[in-house]
Amino acid sequence: MNLWIQTARDSLLQTIGVVDIVFMNDAEIRMLTEEPNLVRAARKVMDMGPRVVVAKQGEYGAALFTAEGFFALPAYPLETVVDPTGAGDSFAGGFLGYLASQGEGAASDEGELRRAMTYGSTLASFNVEEFGTERVSRLTREEIDERFDEFRHITTIEGIPAA
């Protein structure tokens, strides 16, 4: 993306202007907008056209920006990461695959977008466990659902009383 920002900025801006959801890492969003603050930078990208901006943050997770608000999710915690190559693509694939499975209108629903973030992070976590697509190629729906449920459990504060 850095290359496109530097060498084909006008074409990139035109393309961003006609999509609903854009996935970029946080450094790319800052570089594109020349804004050091990620929240302001994501809002500037939204002003270019997309309704949803997803800022991938590598091992730290991802942040979702919409007109309705903000949602952040850490990466799924793993003790061993073998190969992070392709994790961002697996994240985007899990995110978009989940939205597609929910039918028309899912991309406009804040709750569905948050679940899509969790599915994206879940898929990315499997991707980094082995080299290339080795782990993902053996993945079952049961494994995905198990990890999704565990991820949801470790990232929720619902039902936990305040001190």
Side-chain angles (χ1 to χ4, degrees):
M1 181 62 77
N2 296 359
L3 177 66
W4 295 111
I5 293 170
Q6 293 170 348
T7 64
R9 184 180 185 82
D10 291 340
S11 294
L12 178 61
L13 293 175
Q14 247 182 342
T15 303
I16 287 173
V18 296
V19 300
D20 290 327
I21 301 173
V22 68
F23 293 86
M24 298 173 77
N25 72 38
D26 53 346
E28 293 164 345
I29 292 171
R30 289 181 177 107
M31 181 181 186
L32 177 67
T33 61
E34 299 177 347
E35 172 61 62
N37 179 282
L38 181 59
V39 175
R40 286 194 301 263
R43 297 287 174 217
K44 283 185 174 183
V45 173
M46 290 173 61
D47 289 342
M48 295 173 188
R51 291 182 302 100
V52 178
V53 173
V54 179
K56 300 180 295 178
Q57 298 174 302
E59 67 181 298
Y60 302 107
L64 172 77
F65 298 89
T66 67
E68 290 77 34
F70 168 80
F71 177 68
L73 192 66
Y76 183 84
L78 295 170
E79 288 189 31
T80 304
V81 172
V82 175
D83 179 16
T85 306
D89 292 333
S90 293
F91 171 86
F95 183 106
L96 294 171
Y98 173 77
L99 285 182
S101 75
Q102 299 309 298
E104 199 166 321
S108 298
D109 182 282
E110 191 77 14
E112 294 289 16
L113 290 168
R114 290 177 181 218
R115 278 185 284 285
M117 289 275 289
T118 309
Y119 272 105
S121 292
T122 299
L123 269 290
S125 74
F126 284 110
N127 185 86
V128 303
E129 289 181 334
E130 294 182 28
F131 285 102
T133 59
E134 292 173 8
R135 177 65 179 102
V136 175
S137 67
R138 296 190 319 275
L139 200 51
T140 66
R141 182 61 196 226
E142 183 179 329
E143 290 174 307
I144 295 168
D145 291 342
E146 263 180 40
R147 187 164 290 180
F148 177 89
D149 287 339
E150 184 178 343
F151 201 7
R152 183 173 40 182
H153 175 73
I154 64 174
T155 57
T156 189
I157 61 168
E158 293 296 321
I160 299 172

